Amino acid sequence: MPKTPTSSAPRKSATEPGPIYRVVPLDLQAHRFGVEIILAEPARPEQEFWLPVWVPGSYLVREFSRHVLRLEADCGGRPAAVAKIAKNRWRVAAGAGPLRVAYSVYAFDLSVRAAFLDASRGFFNPACLMLAVAGQEHLPHRVEIVPPGDVADWRVATTLAAVDCDAAGFGLRRAASYADLIDHPVEMGRLLRTEFTAGGARHEVAIAHADVLGDGVDTARLARDLKRICSAQAALFEPRSRRAPFDRYLFLVAPTADGYGGLEHPDCTALMCARSSLPHPRAKAADAAYRDFLGLCSHEYFHAWNVGRIKPRAFVPYDLERENPTTLLWLFEGFTSYYDDLMLRRADLLSPQQYLDGLARTIAAVGRTPGRAVQSLAEASRDAWIKYYRPDENSANATVSYYQLGALLALSIDLRLREQGRATLDDVMRLLWRRYGRADAPLRDVGLDEDAMPAILAEVSGLDWRGYFRRHVAGTQELPLRRQLARFGIEWSVRDDAAFDALGLAVDEQGGWLSVRRVRNGGWAEQAGLAAGDLLVALNGERATRTTIERAHALARRGDGWRIHSLRQGLLRDTTCPWSALPSGRIDLRPAAKPALAAKRLRDAWLGAAAAPK
């Protein structure tokens, strides 16, 4: 039977109905949170409880209930029978008197999606920790967060509304409903904090591991840069008031050795980053790692509007016990990916060339993905639940990222709108906000229909978008980006690919040998019969190393025969195949030195004035 907190009952309110939770960092070394739930008025004779199987913003069934340890209950002070009736549901016998349910949860997932607890910090998304009370989801939920018993200097950071909390943030908090509760992750530990005001709202940053980071983070610079990003986004959606749709916003940041990721919530975001990506007080200029971190912050902050409040019909409301497929993730994730770096450019945190360099990397990444000709954006969105979050060695050949290709779709749409001179993508996002996202939006509680975007674009621009969507969203036709960018005074050039990309081969080091990780359709590696898991032994009689393969590729000419020895399942394979190279995916984008006047005007309106290359 798991240890459960019994030192004191959760604080109660005699006037407000709804569940009362008590969350305790129960065992830091065993990574276990303890949770209690008190119900003054349970359903009789039996009360059901359930736990979400996924968390909004991360479209994969993650089966959080697998980490719930033995659940026990008592009613009126007497043991109550518990039966598990489904993978994520429990039924508890309820009689007279309050019902108490207690359990613990194993928490050792460093990602932003679940829960983590050790001697250095604690974090949880309520969706993976706190059982919903069937039939009471709509009622107010109160949560008492208890400090660990043997640690004195931990603090709490969360956007859960405080009811009765101490100076460290531990104590009683409140959510309007269960749906509201799960949108407020909680960070606890030794926190480095900074804050700023943007869009008329208070913004806070809470960074974990303050004891490790010491004075190695320039919090003033971070606050200053985030303020510019957040102000630019508020101005995009509300150009008159320039106000954000909340009174308070929180960035929860968990630095790790080399992590990267984020999960959005309407009033906050949980972020994971490499420690080296945070700005150092002695750094004179922003490096690429810090710019990438700002891009991550920008991406998750944009979600406060796009999917945090503007939602597809399939998410209104969320069904947290099964998949919620939609064909619109290219809009909610892809368009957000387009705007994340664009907002950095508008905030003058990226130069025009730095912005174009990032755009070129995205174009190249999609270009190296054969799956773009197999899977449409609509299909990629719908199948995210079974494909995107479950990549394998064939994913690049069969799927495409709705983040990356969706961002390029947004770019193409924006360029077309701007070239026609009638609107921009900003106007489209503002219309979506007024109609589907704002507190007074007429369709906020309905959500965006799956096929609504062509008509919305037509409403904004006066153009017919139906054929465009058949080709590029429902279909797999290439976007006309090269031609469009040329009209904006952007030069596009192609460089030779790196050897392994050109060969259609991705490898890992394994015991000093090269192990095939992935083979790209149409490349030399596929023609040579290589497959994921093969161990490369020799190329043309010489031991196969990165260096020998790169040198052979540099000297190769079409028609040369390459002999490759490899091991598969312990058996030696000997294959001879003509050398060949895939079309290069590496591109450079640069502002033309002397563009036509019309092109320069378009470019400057899109990106701001760009310095001519030296």
Side-chain angles (χ1 to χ4, degrees):
M1 181 177 296
K3 290 167 57 181
T4 53
T6 57
S7 58
S8 63
R11 305 179 195 180
K12 301 179 183 180
S13 167
T15 59
E16 190 172 44
I20 305 174
Y21 296 80
R22 187 169 186 260
V23 178
V24 183
L26 189 64
D27 192 327
L28 307 187
Q29 308 306 327
H31 320 294
R32 296 209 317 271
F33 280 104
V35 184
E36 288 182 0
I37 309 172
I38 298 293
L39 295 180
E41 296 292 338
R44 294 183 175 88
E46 294 175 319
Q47 174 67 63
E48 285 193 15
F49 299 82
W50 60 273
L51 193 67
V53 303
W54 66 286
V55 60
S58 185
Y59 307 108
L60 177 68
V61 170
R62 298 187 181 276
E63 310 294 16
F64 295 128
S65 60
R66 72 189 191 277
H67 293 311
V68 174
L69 305 179
R70 185 176 176 182
L71 187 148
E72 58 189 14
D74 57 71
C75 193
R78 297 179 179 179
V82 176
K84 191 168 185 181
I85 58 174
K87 65 180 182 179
N88 67 319
R89 279 189 169 256
W90 292 259
R91 183 177 292 148
V92 180
L99 175 65
R100 171 187 171 271
V101 171
Y103 57 95
S104 61
V105 177
Y106 178 70
F108 202 59
D109 185 335
L110 265 176
S111 77
V112 296
R113 299 177 296 262
F116 179 86
L117 181 65
D118 71 0
S120 67
R121 63 181 282 258
F123 171 84
F124 64 88
N125 275 298
C128 74
L129 202 71
M130 304 168 79
L131 296 176
V133 181
Q136 297 192 21
E137 296 92 343
H138 63 290
L139 296 175
H141 285 52
R142 283 153 291 166
V143 181
E144 183 183 4
I145 303 173
V146 180
D150 53 352
V151 180
D153 57 350
W154 278 25
R155 302 289 184 268
V156 170
T158 181
T159 46
L160 271 174
V163 175
D164 181 12
C165 294
D166 63 21
F170 291 101
L172 191 65
R173 295 176 179 271
R174 183 185 186 277
S177 63
Y178 187 78
D180 181 38
L181 173 67
I182 66 166
D183 258 327
H184 298 279
V186 175
E187 177 75 40
M188 61 180 73
R190 302 170 185 94
L191 304 177
L192 184 64
R193 294 178 182 263
T194 188
E195 61 180 66
F196 58 92
T197 299
R202 177 187 174 194
H203 291 65
E204 301 165 68
V205 184
I207 307 174
H209 302 300
D211 52 331
V212 175
L213 298 171
D215 59 358
V217 180
D218 189 342
T219 55
R221 178 176 193 163
L222 179 60
R224 183 172 63 248
D225 292 345
L226 287 176
K227 177 182 178 74
R228 292 159 72 175
I229 295 167
C230 297
S231 297
Q233 294 196 18
L236 185 157
F237 285 98
E238 294 285 0
R240 292 184 179 178
S241 70
R242 306 176 77 87
R243 294 190 65 86
F246 36 72
D247 296 322
R248 179 190 175 208
Y249 191 90
L250 175 62
F251 293 90
L252 296 173
V253 183
T256 64
D258 56 2
Y260 182 87
L263 186 66
E264 71 274 5
H265 302 275
D267 301 342
C268 64
T269 180
L271 306 168
M272 183 172 61
C273 69
R275 286 185 291 271
S276 58
S277 68
L278 295 171
H280 196 279
R282 293 195 296 272
K284 295 182 179 179
D287 60 15
Y290 177 49
R291 292 195 299 269
D292 285 347
F293 174 67
L294 289 177
L296 175 64
C297 294
S298 178
H299 182 99
E300 303 305 336
Y301 191 73
F302 197 87
H303 274 314
W305 289 267
N306 196 31
V307 93
R309 289 170 171 82
I310 307 167
K311 298 180 186 293
R313 184 184 287 266
F315 290 175
V316 182
Y318 291 115
D319 184 340
L320 297 170
E321 295 192 82
R322 55 189 54 82
E323 296 93 338
N324 293 201
T326 172
T327 60
L328 291 174
L329 291 183
W330 54 265
L331 167 62
F332 293 101
E333 293 292 354
F335 279 36
T336 301
S337 296
Y338 171 61
Y339 272 105
D340 53 26
D341 274 0
L342 189 60
M343 289 293 102
L344 266 63
R345 171 64 204 127
R346 292 182 185 177
D348 203 25
L349 295 168
L350 288 179
S351 69
Q353 186 57 59
Q354 287 170 334
Y355 174 78
L356 291 175
D357 289 344
L359 190 58
R361 289 191 292 271
T362 301
I363 294 172
V366 172
R368 292 193 188 102
T369 305
R372 73 189 188 282
V374 176
Q375 186 184 53
S376 72
L377 271 173
E379 292 169 335
S381 298
R382 184 194 61 217
D383 287 346
W385 299 88
I386 59 172
K387 294 185 178 181
Y388 183 79
Y389 287 94
R390 289 175 173 152
D392 59 29
E393 68 280 356
N394 194 51
S395 291
N397 296 321
T399 66
V400 70
S401 167
Y402 52 80
Y403 284 87
Q404 292 179 323
L405 186 54
L408 298 183
L409 177 78
L411 167 66
S412 177
I413 291 173
D414 198 12
L415 296 183
R416 184 184 178 193
L417 289 167
R418 290 173 180 275
E419 187 179 1
Q420 294 292 328
R422 305 184 188 187
T424 73
L425 195 60
D426 293 359
D427 297 299
V428 177
M429 299 310 299
R430 283 192 281 267
L431 175 58
L432 290 172
W433 175 240
R434 291 193 305 270
R435 190 166 294 170
Y436 296 96
R438 207 157 57 182
D440 59 354
L443 298 177
R444 179 183 175 117
D445 295 331
V446 176
L448 185 69
D449 284 332
E450 298 290 298
D451 59 353
M453 282 305 294
I456 286 173
L457 283 162
E459 181 179 347
V460 171
S461 66
L463 304 173
D464 186 347
W465 293 85
R466 290 172 295 181
Y468 181 95
F469 270 66
R470 283 195 298 270
R471 294 189 298 273
H472 304 302
V473 178
T476 58
Q477 187 169 323
E478 294 278 350
L479 292 165
L481 289 176
R482 187 166 188 167
R483 182 174 70 249
Q484 288 181 295
L485 288 168
R487 292 172 182 163
F488 280 67
I490 304 297
E491 294 179 344
W492 176 312
S493 59
V494 179
R495 293 182 289 153
D496 288 341
D497 245 336
F500 285 87
D501 286 330
L503 296 171
L505 179 64
V507 297
D508 295 312
E509 296 279 351
Q510 182 176 313
W513 297 89
L514 297 183
S515 174
V516 177
R517 181 173 74 251
R518 184 177 64 251
V519 170
R520 180 177 162 192
N521 281 358
W524 170 83
E526 183 185 58
Q527 299 304 314
L530 295 176
D534 288 355
L535 202 64
L536 302 185
V537 178
L539 177 67
N540 298 330
E542 188 175 3
R543 178 173 171 172
T545 66
R546 290 184 184 275
T547 301
T548 57
I549 292 173
E550 288 169 349
R551 184 174 66 246
H553 174 73
L555 298 174
R557 296 293 180 269
R558 192 162 297 280
D560 289 355
W562 277 16
R563 187 179 184 186
I564 183 75
H565 286 84
S566 61
L567 285 170
R568 181 179 297 170
Q569 298 295 317
L571 299 177
L572 185 66
R573 303 176 71 252
D574 179 357
T575 306
T576 299
C577 178
W579 170 87
S580 63
L582 288 163
S584 178
R586 297 177 73 185
I587 67 168
D588 283 322
L589 299 176
R590 295 192 174 276
K594 296 180 180 179
L597 181 59
K600 185 177 186 306
R601 286 174 177 167
L602 287 170
R603 186 179 71 196
D604 289 351
W606 172 42
L607 292 183
K614 296 180 180 179

